[in-house]
Amino acid sequence: MTMDTHGPLDTASRYALVTIALLQGGMLCYLHFSLAFGAEGRQLWPASDLRRLAAIYTLVIALPGFFYMGLGRFRDYRNLLAAAVLAPLLFWLGWHLGWLAQAADLALRGGNFIMPFVASIGTSLFILAVYFRAWSHGGRLEVSYSQLVACSWQNALILALLGLFIGVFWLLLMLWAGLFQVIGVDVFATVFNEPIFVYPVTWLVGGIGLVMIRSRIRLIAMVQFMCEVLIKALLPLACLIGVLFLAALPFTGLQKIWDTGHAALLMMLLAIVLLFFFNAVFSEQAEPPYPRVLRCFVYLGVLLLPINSLLAAWALWLRIDQYGLTVDRLWAGVIQLLVAAFTLTYAVMLSWKRGDALRGIHIINSWLGIGMAALLLAVNTPLADLRDWSAESQSARLGSGKVDPDEFEYAYLRFELGAYGVRVLQRLSADEAFAEDHPRAAKGIDDALARENRYDRTPQVDTNKPDAVAAMFRIDASTSPPDSLMRVVAEQQNYCLSSSGLCAVVQATSPDADYWIVFYTHYSPYSSGEVYRQTPAGGRNIGSANLLGCQHEEASHSGNLGKLERLPGPFMVFTDGECYYQIEPELDYLIDRPTSEDGNAGG
């Protein structure tokens, strides 16, 4: 194990890191108050413009974070070069993120915008900080692979220990506040929850903790050594899992992989784990870490990884071909592209260079790391934004007829794709021919543009008009729910009335009565719903219906369901010939039924 054993931070660098942390905490506190003022209807700079707010937030959080990981010496001209390059780039990335939400009239608090941005930008800055720190230490633009490995381990462990330190600090403060609350002193609990205390104190403590941890290189080296020992023991197991999985496929067939929606994710996860373990164990050119037989088995596991990547890409492509491009699938594609680049490179080098393969792998890793950071930055810019690709793909599917416009969920375009999705919605809304041919789809577009958030349950129709209520649901043409039943549904299913096509009403026939099931079709088509029955007193909710399973896996995701018929026997199980659903009545209905209904109540 070769570690970067240069001395601890000098005095100027220690004071600089603490000062940067304190200034960052103060800036975040001000930005927090600007948001609070905006929530009260008053505009405080920079919250008055979401683009500017997101840009400043990105700059305030990301630029100091880069120097927390990458700063070697405070008095180094390279720090100014890094700041001059990163500051405008981060500002631009944040501005684009704010534009995505502002142009769609959305708040920038949803996980669909923030989480992918934070994860991708954070990962790219972590990689760039590793190269920057190795460059600062080496003095030349060219850095060695051993320095990159040492710096990456150090930065990862520093962040982990720093997070633990801050977490324990706040646990102590919570204990402090709790103890004094027991005796009736609430001042500490009040103060500890004030933003003007939380931000400066947390970042000040974080800066001090960062300096303390970075000054103890030997401690980090010991933790790295223990991690490498454990990973060395687990690498053969990871290879065994991969080899056995591929060996089992000729006997089980590939269809089961295609039938599941998460096969690509699992195979990519295995490849990522194996790649990480392999790099951690074989990062040095010293004595081989395993006996010859075990080392050959590990090499075999790595050589087979391109097959794993190919199967994962195939499974992902089947989903894309069936349902089109979405942001989630595009992110999976980006990750798959990066994984495939590493796996293919390793396989080629091991089979071509053999004994000298590790040196070639280390050189290629150095370049692939830069490419990975650049790609993760690029997909957050207007040049390659995944939401733009997804919006154009879904728009093309609508235009080509691959998806029924009346069945499409238009809220996805606005609330998941932001400005790009709104652009598609506005284009469709302005298309008079489209509105004439698909009046239900036009209503869904107007509903999506009018809603304040994706989960807004405000009905978009007059609930006193059964026909208007029924038009909001997907209903088989051969069935006609009673008006009295639809009035009850309208009172209890506001979510279904917030946008056209979110729910379906399906008739379930039985010898003694007819039931009507309101299925929620957004996340998992026809997996669960509420059951209604027409009684002498009117429509009534009698329980719930749940999908038991289907004869074929793809049927549960098809979104196609006609009239259900009850199976003979004592169980309340209905089927459409492919899938099976069980009705579970509520206790209140069972208690009231003998006195409120006759035995022949029907639909």
Side-chain angles (χ1 to χ4, degrees):
M1 177 186 65
T2 301
M3 283 292 301
D4 184 6
T5 56
H6 64 283
L9 293 168
D10 56 49
T11 302
S13 299
R14 291 198 296 269
Y15 281 110
L17 287 175
V18 174
T19 302
I20 291 173
L22 188 57
L23 292 174
Q24 185 185 30
M27 283 295 300
L28 290 174
C29 184
Y30 172 79
L31 291 174
H32 177 91
F33 280 117
S34 74
L35 284 172
F37 273 84
E40 296 174 4
R42 290 175 288 176
Q43 298 299 322
L44 183 64
W45 189 93
S48 55
D49 189 313
L50 196 56
R51 298 167 300 178
R52 183 167 55 238
L53 178 67
I56 294 176
Y57 251 117
T58 302
L59 189 61
V60 169
I61 294 175
L63 189 59
F66 172 83
F67 286 111
Y68 294 153
M69 296 180 289
L71 188 141
R73 295 182 302 274
F74 177 66
R75 295 188 179 93
D76 190 335
Y77 73 95
R78 281 168 287 210
N79 297 328
L80 293 177
L81 291 178
V85 172
L86 285 178
L89 174 61
L90 292 171
F91 190 89
W92 180 42
L93 294 172
W95 185 277
H96 178 64
L97 178 68
W99 170 79
L100 282 172
Q102 181 167 288
D105 195 22
L106 300 174
L108 196 59
R109 296 181 181 178
N112 55 327
F113 288 102
I114 297 297
M115 293 306 297
F117 183 81
V118 171
S120 55
I121 298 300
T123 302
S124 61
L125 288 181
F126 179 90
I127 296 171
L128 294 177
V130 168
Y131 283 83
F132 181 74
R133 189 173 174 191
W135 176 37
S136 298
H137 174 61
R140 296 183 302 171
L141 187 60
E142 181 181 358
V143 296
S144 67
Y145 185 74
S146 60
Q147 285 181 329
L148 294 177
V149 172
C151 291
S152 61
W153 269 109
Q154 286 185 12
N155 285 351
L157 294 175
I158 286 170
L159 291 177
L161 292 173
L162 181 60
L164 178 62
F165 176 72
I166 295 175
V168 172
F169 169 79
W170 271 102
L171 286 176
L172 288 174
L173 290 189
M174 292 169 61
L175 177 61
W176 180 354
L179 285 173
F180 277 86
Q181 278 185 309
V182 169
I183 59 175
V185 180
D186 297 331
V187 62
F188 295 110
T190 302
V191 171
F192 293 164
N193 284 316
E194 289 294 329
I196 199 170
F197 175 87
V198 171
Y199 285 101
V201 171
T202 300
W203 264 260
L204 176 60
V205 170
I208 295 173
L210 176 67
V211 169
M212 293 171 59
I213 295 170
R214 285 196 57 177
S215 298
R216 286 155 178 79
I217 299 298
R218 293 185 181 276
L219 172 63
I220 299 174
M222 291 176 60
V223 177
Q224 177 189 345
F225 178 73
M226 287 303 303
C227 292
E228 289 178 338
V229 169
L230 297 176
I231 291 173
K232 181 179 177 181
L234 293 174
L235 176 57
L237 175 61
C239 291
L240 178 64
I241 296 172
V243 171
L244 289 179
F245 176 76
L246 293 178
L249 289 181
F251 302 97
T252 62
L254 300 177
Q255 189 59 42
K256 292 184 178 180
I257 294 179
W258 314 146
D259 288 344
T260 61
H262 55 274
L265 174 63
L266 293 176
M267 287 186 285
M268 282 192 293
L269 184 60
L270 176 62
I272 292 171
V273 170
L274 215 160
L275 288 172
F276 173 71
F277 283 6
F278 181 82
N279 278 296
V281 174
F282 290 89
S283 60
E284 302 294 338
Q285 289 278 5
E287 184 178 349
Y290 298 112
R292 180 178 178 83
V293 175
L294 188 56
R295 188 166 67 254
C296 290
F297 178 74
V298 171
Y299 286 167
L300 175 63
V302 176
L303 284 169
L304 294 176
L305 279 179
I307 301 177
N308 192 301
S309 297
L310 178 62
L311 292 175
W314 192 352
L316 179 62
W317 169 250
L318 290 177
R319 290 291 168 183
I320 293 175
D321 184 57
Q322 186 175 5
Y323 301 109
L325 293 176
T326 63
V327 176
D328 292 341
R329 296 189 187 104
L330 283 171
W331 270 117
V334 169
I335 297 173
Q336 179 57 45
L337 177 64
L338 294 172
V339 170
F342 281 96
T343 57
L344 183 61
T345 297
Y346 288 17
V348 170
M349 295 305 297
L350 287 174
S351 58
W352 179 30
K353 295 292 185 178
R354 298 189 180 182
D356 198 32
L358 291 180
R359 183 170 60 180
I361 288 175
H362 295 167
I363 294 174
I364 294 175
N365 273 352
S366 302
W367 288 102
L368 286 178
I370 292 291
M372 180 177 176
L375 179 60
L376 292 177
L377 290 173
V379 295
N380 288 286
T381 69
L383 305 177
D385 196 301
L386 303 184
R387 294 176 182 84
D388 189 12
W389 291 22
S390 179
E392 292 303 321
S393 172
Q394 297 301 325
S395 176
R397 283 169 57 80
L398 284 168
S400 64
K402 290 184 177 180
V403 60
D404 186 350
D406 293 336
E407 302 293 328
F408 189 81
E409 196 214 347
Y410 295 97
Y412 173 82
L413 290 174
R414 182 185 175 201
F415 295 104
E416 296 290 337
L417 306 184
Y420 297 112
V422 169
R423 182 186 300 169
V424 173
L425 291 175
Q426 291 173 342
R427 185 166 65 237
L428 292 173
S429 180
D431 189 341
E432 296 181 358
F434 180 85
E436 291 178 0
D437 295 338
H438 305 283
R440 182 174 171 181
K443 182 65 169 59
I445 293 172
D446 293 339
D447 292 345
L449 291 172
R451 289 161 65 183
E452 294 184 0
N453 60 75
R454 187 171 185 176
Y455 306 103
D456 183 8
R457 299 195 175 190
T458 303
Q460 299 297 318
V461 296
D462 186 350
T463 57
N464 295 317
K465 297 180 179 179
D467 291 341
V469 171
M472 298 293 288
F473 292 85
R474 304 178 187 180
I475 302 176
D476 190 90
S478 63
T479 62
S480 179
D483 289 349
S484 59
L485 184 138
M486 293 308 298
R487 291 190 182 95
V488 176
V489 171
E491 294 175 358
Q492 300 181 2
Q493 303 293 339
N494 284 342
Y495 170 75
C496 297
L497 302 181
S498 61
S499 184
S500 177
L502 288 181
C503 303
V505 176
V506 177
Q507 185 178 13
T509 61
S510 177
D512 63 326
D514 283 349
Y515 303 91
W516 300 88
I517 307 176
V518 177
F519 281 107
Y520 310 110
T521 63
H522 172 44
Y523 291 108
S524 182
Y526 307 110
S527 62
S528 64
E530 296 294 319
V531 182
Y532 292 82
R533 179 179 175 181
Q534 185 72 6
T535 70
R540 176 172 181 177
N541 187 331
I542 69 166
S544 60
N546 296 287
L547 174 66
L548 295 177
C550 300
Q551 296 181 27
H552 301 91
E553 179 69 23
E554 62 271 14
S556 63
H557 302 282
S558 65
N560 298 317
L561 186 63
K563 186 183 296 185
L564 300 176
E565 294 184 359
R566 183 172 179 177
L567 292 178
F571 305 105
M572 294 280 287
V573 176
F574 294 77
T575 181
D576 61 348
E578 178 68 32
C579 299
Y580 299 86
Y581 303 84
Q582 183 174 21
I583 291 179
E584 298 180 358
E586 293 180 346
L587 179 60
D588 291 343
Y589 169 73
L590 296 176
I591 294 174
D592 295 343
R593 185 175 182 275
T595 59
S596 62
E597 302 177 25
D598 60 24
N600 298 318

